[in-house]
Amino acid sequence: MRPANKLKLSIAILFLLCLFTYLDRPFPTSRTVYDSVPMPTTSEGNLQASFEFLSADKKNAQSWSLPNYIASVTAEHPQKTGAYILENGFEALLARAWLADHATTSIEVQYFIWSNDNIGTLASEALIRAANRGVKVRVIVDDLLIEAEDKTLLALAKHPNVEIRIYNPKHQVGTNIGKRLWNIIADFKSANQRMHDKTFVVDGVVAITGGRNMASEYFNFHHEANFRDRDVLILGNAVTKVSGNFNNFWQHPLSVPVETIFAEHRFMRASTEISNQEVAGIYEQLHAYANLDSNFEPALKQAIRSIPESFERLSKEIVWTDVEFIHDIPGKNRLTDLQGGGDSTRALATLVNQAQQEILIQSPYLVLSDRAIAMIKSSLQRGVKITINTNSLASTDNLQAFSGYRNQRKELLKMGVRIFEFRPDAESRGKLLNSPVIDKYKPAVFSLHAKSMVIDNKIAYIGTFNFDPRSENLNTEVGVIIRNQELSKQLAQAIEQDLKPGNSWNAQVDNPDQYVSTSKRFQVWLMQLLPLRPIL
């Protein structure tokens, strides 16, 4: 990129930073989670008592363990991977909670967003409880949208069985606003290279990956707005590759321990020292928060307790097949400009180029690069039918990305692509949004966040890849390619359900933009004038 263009791009980004606090998630931010939890009085000597591990006798007394159970199931399907699609957010939350409660040796967690809202706090508490049992917990979180106080991060990392690393810390952790702006201007590409991976691995034998971040709106628990999202639970062969990818990120210099970050930036911030008493207090706050029925509904606790029966049912519904875990390397590409692609990009491009009959895509953000548009044209010329489900202006949580899509919408429709835009009042909310919070508050907005693709009704992709330049060239992405007709048809049916008139508008005939205010349409029009496509 020429210096003049780089300068224009930097100015555009600075303008956006002034308009938006978040680049990827402008849903309402939850209040501080500890407002209702009194600070307990603890002595420094109580710290050790909170780390109570299971004795060898207690472990031997257990007749059932997660690794043994999974091993007994996978032994019947050597060299295969079991896959189960998690369409419902509440079900996806229960699966994570139950697996964390039954972990015996390790939990490896990798997320783009970790919020300090209800779900993020309960997840942190679940990890601390697992660590108290002797489980080794390792967490990697991207720096851009992490929500956590400095001392909370340090307190969690102080646990002898917990390690936390921040990926590419140039925006939030240990960084003030001046340093953040300098990082953007001085090394624009690096500041935009984010870790968009979302994986959850327990005991090295079971994993969950897909579109969901660790925040309330991804699990049907936000009071105002929630996402229609999708994950996949996998057992067997492909789990080893998920763990291997986690270790690659863990060992990479871009993943920095939180203790190192605060030690290196101490002179720029208020004191980040933390005493054992403060650590114990934060742990007790987390446990107290999780034990309040107003924060952790009794219905949710009961659902988690009943999972063993559900897991038996789930194990019978798992499809054993060939599953390929695709991922990018830390840092993505090495080119000097904002292009370059990555391993995930090339894997998905191969699927598109091999399609013979139909391509069905579901992506919250649709901003196609010139190469992607060329592939779409080539596929259409081969007679391939292409249908895309994406957000409408009324449902999107990312106006910047929508502005890029709006610049291309007419061209894509003219080419022959069928586009359906998700409705914020989608009728499918009744089926997909079922949780204690949803039943009580009935949030108004439903937004698409699932990232999936089906090729010829026989190959399915579920993962983190948005069909935009940011996923193509900048963010690291993960996902699974499932070569199985049964699961592919199951995924296609779920997406086709979202295409129905009660769930989405047909962009060819419905003019979905009419359902938002003039001021919102004007705001997006202004963004359309900016040279933002390479970073959308």
Side-chain angles (χ1 to χ4, degrees):
M1 181 182 291
R2 287 182 288 183
N5 291 336
K6 184 176 181 180
L7 178 61
K8 291 179 182 178
L9 203 54
S10 297
I11 293 172
I13 294 304
L14 288 174
F15 171 73
L16 283 179
L17 283 173
C18 294
L19 287 177
F20 304 102
T21 302
Y22 295 120
L23 298 181
D24 189 61
R25 181 179 158 268
F27 272 5
T29 303
S30 301
R31 61 176 176 79
T32 303
V33 296
Y34 295 139
D35 284 352
S36 62
V37 182
M39 184 72 173
T41 56
T42 57
S43 65
E44 205 162 325
N46 287 340
L47 178 63
Q48 189 61 39
S50 67
F51 304 140
E52 182 181 348
F53 306 129
L54 284 174
S55 68
D57 290 338
K58 288 181 181 178
K59 287 181 179 178
N60 293 335
Q62 293 178 351
S63 59
W64 184 95
S65 73
L66 181 65
N68 289 341
Y69 177 75
I70 298 297
S72 68
V73 175
T74 56
E76 300 175 10
H77 308 276
Q79 305 305 314
K80 295 291 184 179
T81 298
Y84 179 85
I85 300 175
L86 295 165
E87 293 282 358
N88 180 274
F90 189 46
E91 182 182 37
L93 175 64
L94 292 176
R96 286 170 170 85
W98 186 80
L99 288 171
D101 282 348
H102 290 80
T104 61
T105 58
S106 66
I107 299 177
E108 299 161 347
V109 180
Q110 193 171 359
Y111 280 104
F112 176 57
I113 295 174
W114 196 298
S115 177
N116 67 353
D117 63 10
N118 182 276
I119 292 301
T121 303
L122 293 174
S124 298
E125 193 271 342
L127 293 181
I128 288 294
R129 279 191 288 108
N132 286 349
R133 300 196 309 269
V135 177
K136 297 295 184 183
V137 177
R138 293 188 293 166
V139 179
I140 310 174
V141 185
D142 187 82
D143 181 59
L144 182 62
L145 296 176
I146 187 173
E147 293 180 2
E149 295 180 0
D150 294 350
K151 287 197 172 185
T152 300
L153 278 174
L154 280 173
L156 294 174
K158 285 280 188 180
H159 196 294
N161 286 330
V162 177
E163 295 181 81
I164 301 175
R165 296 189 177 180
I166 307 299
Y167 184 82
N168 196 12
K170 295 187 175 180
H171 292 274
Q172 299 289 350
V173 181
T175 305
N176 60 28
I177 185 63
K179 180 64 174 175
R180 182 184 189 189
L181 292 175
W182 174 251
N183 289 337
I184 294 172
I185 295 170
D187 197 351
F188 183 77
K189 180 181 178 181
S190 178
N192 273 278
Q193 288 183 292
R194 310 315 317 169
M195 183 196 74
H196 201 236
D197 300 25
K198 304 168 183 71
T199 60
F200 179 86
V201 186
V202 175
D203 289 345
V205 296
V206 58
I208 297 175
T209 189
R212 292 184 175 96
N213 290 293
M214 197 53 64
S216 294
E217 56 267 34
Y218 298 92
F219 297 97
N220 307 352
F221 270 74
H222 202 286
H223 296 180
E224 300 174 33
N226 288 276
F227 283 121
R228 190 273 185 267
D229 217 328
R230 181 177 294 112
D231 287 326
V232 58
L233 182 147
I234 58 174
L235 315 172
N237 190 48
V239 177
T240 302
K241 294 183 179 179
V242 183
S243 287
N245 183 59
F246 178 92
N247 285 323
N248 287 340
F249 274 82
W250 187 260
Q251 296 162 6
H252 197 275
L254 282 172
S255 298
V256 186
V258 293
E259 303 94 328
T260 302
I261 296 173
F262 290 123
E264 290 176 349
H265 296 83
R266 186 174 295 142
F267 69 97
M268 298 180 63
R269 303 174 66 86
S271 172
T272 51
E273 298 292 336
I274 188 167
S275 67
N276 283 352
Q277 183 175 351
E278 288 177 295
V279 171
I282 287 173
Y283 292 170
E284 289 191 33
Q285 282 183 315
L286 287 170
H287 297 319
Y289 186 86
N291 286 324
L292 284 177
D293 287 348
S294 58
N295 298 321
F296 198 11
E297 297 270 352
L300 179 57
K301 295 178 182 178
Q302 179 56 43
I304 292 173
R305 283 193 292 268
S306 67
I307 280 185
E309 293 78 15
S310 301
F311 203 79
E312 289 291 338
R313 172 190 58 79
L314 182 149
S315 66
K316 296 175 183 177
E317 296 181 10
I318 286 176
V319 176
W320 292 90
T321 185
D322 294 323
V323 175
E324 178 187 1
F325 177 71
I326 63 173
H327 59 89
D328 291 310
I329 61 173
K332 194 82 169 191
N333 64 69
R334 299 291 186 263
L335 297 185
T336 56
D337 60 13
L338 299 176
Q339 306 302 313
D343 293 338
S344 291
T345 303
R346 287 183 280 274
L348 295 178
T350 298
L351 293 183
V352 171
N353 288 329
Q354 291 176 347
Q356 297 299 315
Q357 298 173 338
E358 182 178 9
I359 301 172
L360 185 59
I361 294 172
Q362 192 167 47
S363 177
Y365 318 121
L366 182 66
V367 187
L368 300 180
S369 67
D370 291 340
R371 285 177 295 181
I373 290 176
M375 280 195 302
I376 293 293
K377 284 183 178 179
S378 176
S379 299
L380 290 167
Q381 290 169 358
R382 295 198 310 273
V384 177
K385 176 183 174 183
I386 299 178
T387 305
I388 301 176
N389 186 210
T390 191
N391 272 310
S392 64
L393 183 54
S395 68
T396 187
D397 69 309
N398 190 324
L399 294 183
Q400 305 94 291
F402 190 87
S403 72
Y405 159 63
R406 205 181 193 198
N407 277 331
Q408 299 178 336
R409 182 167 53 190
K410 287 183 179 179
E411 177 187 3
L412 293 173
L413 291 171
K414 188 175 180 180
M415 286 165 50
V417 179
R418 299 169 67 237
I419 302 177
F420 295 83
E421 298 186 12
F422 204 67
R423 297 176 56 142
D425 60 346
E427 292 176 356
S428 60
R429 289 185 302 174
K431 178 180 179 181
L432 294 170
L433 291 182
N434 62 326
S435 76
V437 170
I438 295 300
D439 296 339
K440 184 184 299 184
Y441 292 98
K442 303 187 185 304
V445 178
F446 197 27
S447 181
L448 180 65
H449 197 260
K451 305 106 168 20
S452 305
M453 181 167 67
V454 182
I455 303 293
D456 295 339
N457 252 341
K458 60 183 181 181
I459 301 175
Y461 166 78
I462 299 172
T464 68
F465 195 99
N466 296 309
F467 289 78
D468 58 21
R470 177 167 286 278
S471 285
E472 182 177 329
N473 300 308
L474 293 171
N475 290 347
T476 64
E477 308 288 352
V478 298
V480 291
I481 294 174
I482 306 171
R483 300 179 186 276
N484 180 274
Q485 193 166 25
E486 178 184 348
L487 281 177
S488 296
K489 287 184 176 180
Q490 179 182 330
L491 177 57
Q493 289 171 359
I495 297 175
E496 287 165 356
Q497 182 68 30
D498 290 332
L499 301 180
K500 291 185 176 180
N503 296 321
S504 293
W505 290 300
N506 186 334
Q508 185 75 56
V509 298
D510 290 334
N511 184 22
D513 290 0
Q514 68 178 304
Y515 300 107
V516 302
S517 66
T518 302
S519 61
K520 192 172 185 179
R521 294 199 298 269
F522 178 72
Q523 190 178 359
V524 171
W525 176 79
L526 285 177
M527 293 179 191
Q528 289 179 253
L529 303 178
L530 296 171
L532 300 178
R533 187 164 69 144
I535 58 166
L536 293 177

